[in-house]
Amino acid sequence: MRTLEATGKSIDEAIFNGLRELQISIDEVEIDIIQQETKGVFGIGAKPAIVRLIEREPEQIVIPDYIANKNMPRERRERRDRRDNRDRRDRRDRQERAPRSEETAAAEAGVTEGTPAENAAAECSPAEANAERAPRERAPRERRDRRDRGNRRESTERVPALQHPVIEYSAEAAEDNPAADFLKGLLAAMGVEATVLANVSEEGIRLRIDSASMGILIGHRGETLDAIQYLTSLCINRSRKETGYTRVTIDTEGYRDKREETLTRLARKIASQVKATGRARTLEPMNPYERRVLHATLQNNPYVTTYSEGEEPNRRVVIAPRKREER
């Protein structure tokens, strides 16, 4: 079991660096936060984030008999079969030598004890006996089927698949687009060389930044990217009372989808821990978009509920167990 301490400008970056060095996924490690990052004053006194990644023990894999037999040497297989046959013969001999009980002897002689109705049922034909026994045998099987269907439905609702729509960006859509023009000027003022692509639809304007300075554009937990998106949206919607509101979304290197997937995995993992321990968990401060992702991921979970507490920018999501009558 491997252990690694990783550093980064943020907690997410430190975890990403550690996972990349260990060559494993986030589901295969336990994460301990050793030190939170601090920005300092004008960069003086800044401290990186430090996390400890502890690799989980691999799950034991049970090999089915038919696979184990296939890989077993022929002599060993024959020796095992002879031993099993001998054990079966010994058990059969012991059963034949065992004394018969009074109930067994009476059953072989055709004498049954019980009420007249039970005796009449015993004397009925095999077809009638099967018809009478069928409802009793069918009831447990139907209950099992309903329980299995319920478990399958519950597992399907609890772990929905992430499906991100494919968005086609192009340079042609960015030409003469006021949002793209403002973003190009803003990036030039920041001294960032980048290409801006756009996608315009009924849902709004989506812009994608292609640049080698991805870390500078994203910032700490996407704060810089959110600020760029906020400024662009303000510029486009200055006259929204006359023209209406236009939604503007800015992304780079698929950061939005990756962050959403990370938050979704985190929400499911914490929800499992809350369900097992019965204790609520409070997560770190997040922006409104990230909090909405957590709430949407767990809104159909029958075992936990979510709510936010605190004031911006330190507002946090709390994952708490549901009461039994609410499930």
Side-chain angles (χ1 to χ4, degrees), residues 34-285:
I34 300 177
Q35 175 179 290
Q36 293 278 359
E37 73 278 3
T38 55
K39 297 181 179 180
V41 181
F42 298 108
I44 301 175
K47 295 181 181 180
I50 304 177
V51 299
R52 181 183 292 113
L53 305 182
I54 305 172
E55 185 179 11
R56 295 179 177 176
E57 296 182 0
E59 299 181 356
Q60 295 183 354
I61 301 177
V62 179
I63 302 177
D65 293 338
Y66 67 90
I67 297 179
N69 295 340
K70 182 179 180 181
N71 298 328
M72 186 181 297
R74 180 178 178 182
E75 295 180 357
R76 185 178 176 185
R77 219 168 34 237
E78 293 176 352
R79 189 163 56 250
R80 187 205 57 189
D81 294 341
R82 287 196 298 270
R83 184 176 64 252
D84 294 343
N85 293 334
R86 185 170 60 252
D87 293 342
R88 282 195 293 270
R89 285 197 302 270
D90 293 343
R91 286 195 299 269
R92 187 169 58 250
D93 293 342
R94 286 195 297 270
Q95 292 175 357
E96 292 177 354
R97 289 195 299 268
R100 293 185 304 172
S101 62
E102 296 180 359
E103 295 179 358
T104 304
E108 292 178 354
V111 179
T112 58
E113 295 182 1
T115 62
E118 293 175 348
N119 293 336
E123 294 176 359
C124 66
S125 63
E128 295 173 348
N130 291 336
E132 195 168 314
R133 189 168 57 250
R136 292 195 299 271
E137 295 178 352
R138 189 165 55 248
R141 184 165 61 250
E142 291 177 352
R143 286 196 296 270
R144 285 196 304 270
D145 293 342
R146 285 196 299 270
R147 185 172 63 250
D148 294 342
R149 286 196 299 270
N151 293 337
R152 286 196 298 270
R153 184 168 58 253
E154 179 183 341
S155 62
T156 302
E157 295 175 353
R158 190 166 51 245
V159 189
L162 285 177
Q163 295 181 355
H164 300 293
V166 179
I167 302 173
E168 298 293 339
Y169 294 92
S170 65
E172 291 77 9
E175 295 179 358
D176 299 328
N177 187 297
D181 293 340
F182 175 84
L183 181 57
K184 291 176 183 177
L186 181 60
L187 294 176
M190 295 172 61
V192 176
E193 296 183 0
T195 302
V196 177
L197 305 178
N199 173 274
V200 181
S201 64
E202 296 179 355
E203 298 180 356
I205 303 174
R206 295 177 179 267
L207 302 176
R208 191 183 76 191
I209 306 173
D210 290 347
S211 173
S213 306
M214 182 184 68
I216 298 176
L217 294 175
I218 294 176
H220 174 63
R221 293 178 187 162
E223 290 179 353
T224 305
L225 191 62
D226 290 339
I228 294 174
Q229 178 175 296
Y230 177 70
L231 292 175
T232 307
S233 179
L234 282 181
C235 176
I236 298 303
N237 292 289
R238 282 180 298 182
S239 59
R240 61 181 179 180
K241 291 184 179 180
E242 294 80 13
T243 60
Y245 179 80
T246 302
R247 181 179 180 183
V248 179
T249 305
I250 300 178
D251 196 7
T252 178
E253 296 293 332
Y255 171 79
R256 301 286 186 192
D257 291 343
K258 294 176 184 177
R259 180 61 176 166
E260 181 178 347
E261 189 173 350
T262 300
L263 291 172
T264 301
R265 287 201 303 267
L266 174 66
R268 292 171 179 166
K269 179 180 179 181
I270 299 301
S272 299
Q273 296 175 359
V274 170
K275 175 187 174 184
T277 62
R279 294 193 296 270
R281 289 283 301 274
T282 303
L283 305 184
E284 59 187 11

